[in-house]
Amino acid sequence: MFSTSIGRKIVMAVTGCCMLLFAIVHLLGNSSIFAGAVGLNSYAQHLHSLPLPIIMAFRAVMLGLFLVHVLYGIQLTIENRTATPTSYAVKVSRKTTFASENMIWTGLLLGAFIVYHLLHFTFRVTPGLTLVNDAAGHFNVFAMVASSFSSFAGAGLYAAAMVVLFLHLYHGIQSFFQTMGWNCDCIQPKITTAGMLVALVLLLGYVSIPLSIFFGILKG
Amino acid sequence: MSDHKTMTINLVVWRQKNANDPGKFENYTVKGITEHHSFLEMLDVLNEDLIKTGKLPVSFDHDCREGICGMCSQVVNGAPHGGQERTTVCQLHMRNFHDGDTIYIEPWRATAFPIVSDLVVDRTALDTIIQAGGYVSCHTGGIADGNAILIPKPAADEAMDAAECIGCGACVAGCPNSAAMLFTGAKVSQLALLPQGKAEAKARVKNMVEAMKECGFGNCTNHYECQASCPKGINVKFIARMNREYIKAQF
Ligand code: HEM
Ligand code: SF4
Ligand code: FES
C-alpha cells in the first residue's frame, strides 16, 4: 500500500491531520497566556509534571509523524517533477492556487520553523532568552516568551511562520478530505471553506500571542 | 455562404520530428479563416498551405471530429482542448478567436506521453492502465435478460457520468503533476458503481493504481486542474471515490 501513489498520499494525509490536531491543541494550551504569567506558567508546569515516559513517547510519536510527512512530501514532489519534464510555453491555471502550488515550499519553511521553535522554547539554546525562575521557584516560561516577543524580529518571525502555516493548511485541510475519499461534488466547496476557516482561526489565534506581547497589550 | 468576413490568424506551433528531436516552435500565418471553421479545420487550411509550398504538414491526432472519440489532443493557449467548457479541440470553433490573434499550440506534455511527432503523443499508457483492470470478466454465452440484474437508478446515473470519459488524456495534460487520477478515477468508479463490476473491485483498483505509477504518471496533490481541463466535465468526486475504493481494498 505504501508504494503506490494513493497509499503514500493517504499516509501524508493522516500524518498531516495528526499534526493539525496537535496544532489545534497546542494553540488551546498556549492561549493560557491570556490569563497572564500565572496562566501560562501553571499550564507549562502541569505539562512538565506529566510522567517522563509519557512526555518522551509523545515526542517520539510527533517526531515520527513529522519525519514520515516530510520525507513522503519530498519524494512526492520529486516524482511529480520527473513526471512533468518540459513545461508549457503558455499555461493557464484555472483551479490551482498559490497555496496548492507551493505546498513543498510552505512545508519546508514550516519544517525549518519547527526546528527553530524547538531550539528556541523547548531546548532554550537560542541567544537572548530570559531564563529565570518565578517566585515559587519554577521556571518562568512567561518571562522567556515575553523576552522573545518584545523584539520586532522575534514577534515578526513567529507571525510570518503562522502565515506560512495558514497557506499550508488552506490547501491541506480540504486536500485531506479528498485524499481520504470523504468528499463529493456537493460538499467539496463547503469543505474548502471550512478548511480555510480552520486555517484562519489557527493563524489569528497563534499570531495574537506574539503581537499582543509586542504591542504591550499582554504584560503578565 | 452569407458572411465573407475572414480572419488572419498567427500560429505558434510546436514542431518536433520524433521522440528524440528536441523540437521547437514555428510561426505560421493562416488566412481566410471564417467563424465556421473548427479549430482542426483551421489546421487543415494551414497544412494545405504547407503541402503546397513543399513543407511538412503539422501532424495532429484526430478521428471523429465530433467530440466523442478522444483522439484530438492539443494544448491551445495553455489550456488542454482550448479551455472551453465541455469542449474537445475538434469541437472548438474559430468564432472564439479574433482576426489577428496569436494562438499557441502545444502537444500534451507528460513523461508518460512521449511525443511521436509535432502534436501527436503516444497515449499507450492509458491503455496499460485499462489493461490492468478496467474491465469485467464474464462468461460469454446467451445474451442475458435486460432486467436480470437490477441496478438502482442513482447508481446507474453516476456510473454513466463516469463513463462519459473518452480517454483523451487532457486531465494529465492539464495537471501540474501529470497525474492520471481523473481518468483512472472515472474508470474505477464506473465499474465499482455497478453490480457487474463489484466482484473484481478490490483487485481492479489496486492493479490500476499500481499501473498508473509504473507508467510514470505523477501523484495527485488535489489541485483539481484536471476537472477544469476535461472536455467531458468528469468530476473530481470520482477521484475521491477511487481513493475510497483503494482504502476499502486494503481490508
Ligand atoms: C515540516 C515540513 C512539511 C513539509 C515538507 C510538508 C509537505 C507537504 C506536501 C508536499 C504535501 C502534499 C500536498 C498535497 O497533497 O496537497 C503536504 C500535505 C499536507 N500537509 Fe504538510 N508538510 C510539512 C509540515 C506540515 C505540518 C506541520 C502540518 C500540520 C500542522 C501539515 C499538514 C498537512 C496536511 C493536512 C496536508 C494534506 C494532506 C494530503 O491530502 O496530502 N504539514 N505537506
Ligand atoms: S477524465 Fe476527461 S480529460 Fe481525462 S481522459 Fe477522461 S475525458 Fe479526457
Ligand atoms: S477528434 Fe474525436 S473527440 Fe476530437
Side-chain angles (χ1 to χ4, degrees), chain A residues 88-92 94, chain B residues 9 11-15 25 28 38-47 57-63 65 69-84 87-94 97 103-110 113 115 117-123 166-174 228-231:
Chain A
Y88 294 100
V90 184
K91 179 81 174 83
V92 290
R94 285 160 290 176
Chain B
I9 304 283
L11 296 175
V12 185
V13 185
W14 184 258
R15 300 302 308 260
F25 283 103
Y28 302 103
S38 74
F39 199 81
L40 301 190
E41 283 162 353
M42 182 274 295
L43 286 178
D44 292 339
V45 173
L46 168 71
N47 278 346
V58 176
S59 32
F60 59 87
D61 260 330
H62 64 107
D63 189 10
R65 295 205 177 195
C69 76
M71 273 313 275
C72 57
S73 45
Q74 299 172 22
V75 173
V76 177
N77 282 341
H81 291 297
Q84 187 175 309
T87 309
T88 53
V89 70
C90 60
Q91 287 291 297
L92 185 68
H93 279 80
M94 293 311 291
F97 297 90
I103 306 175
Y104 277 78
I105 312 177
E106 297 178 66
W108 285 176
R109 293 196 190 276
F113 291 160
I115 291 181
S117 89
D118 299 338
L119 305 173
V120 178
V121 298
D122 182 352
R123 284 169 284 180
I166 54 175
C168 62
C171 43
V172 178
S229 305
C230 176

Side-chain angles (χ1 to χ4, degrees), chain A residues 9 12-13 16-17 19-20 23 66 69-70 73 76-77 103-104 107-108 110-111 114 165 168-169 171-173 175-176 179, chain B residues 220-222:
Chain A
K9 280 289 318 217
M12 285 210 69
C17 182
M19 288 194 284
L20 167 67
F66 177 79
H69 188 85
V70 175
L76 183 94
T77 309
M103 285 300 275
I104 187 65
L108 289 175
L110 274 183
I114 291 168
L165 177 69
H168 201 76
L169 292 180
H171 178 72
I173 294 175
S175 182
F176 166 79
T179 302
Chain B
C220 180
T221 58
N222 303 328

Side-chain angles (χ1 to χ4, degrees), chain A residues 11 22 31 66 87 123 215 217:
Chain A
V11 174
F22 171 78
S31 60
F66 177 79
S87 48
F123 301 109
F215 290 112
I217 301 166

Side-chain angles (χ1 to χ4, degrees), chain B residues 188 191-192 197-206 245 249:
Chain B
V188 164
L191 295 172
K198 286 217 164 80
E200 292 162 298
K202 286 188 176 184
R204 173 183 308 116
V205 67
K206 282 188 180 170
E245 288 291 327

Side-chain angles (χ1 to χ4, degrees), chain B residues 140-156:
Chain B
T140 53
I143 298 165
D145 183 29
N147 282 330
I149 304 172
L150 296 178
I151 304 171
K153 173 83 168 130

Side-chain angles (χ1 to χ4, degrees), chain A residues 117-137:
Chain A
H117 179 53
L118 291 176
L119 293 174
H120 190 197
F121 286 156
T122 304
F123 301 109
R124 299 164 190 159
V125 292
T126 57
L129 284 179
T130 305
L131 302 175
V132 292
N133 284 352
D134 62 11

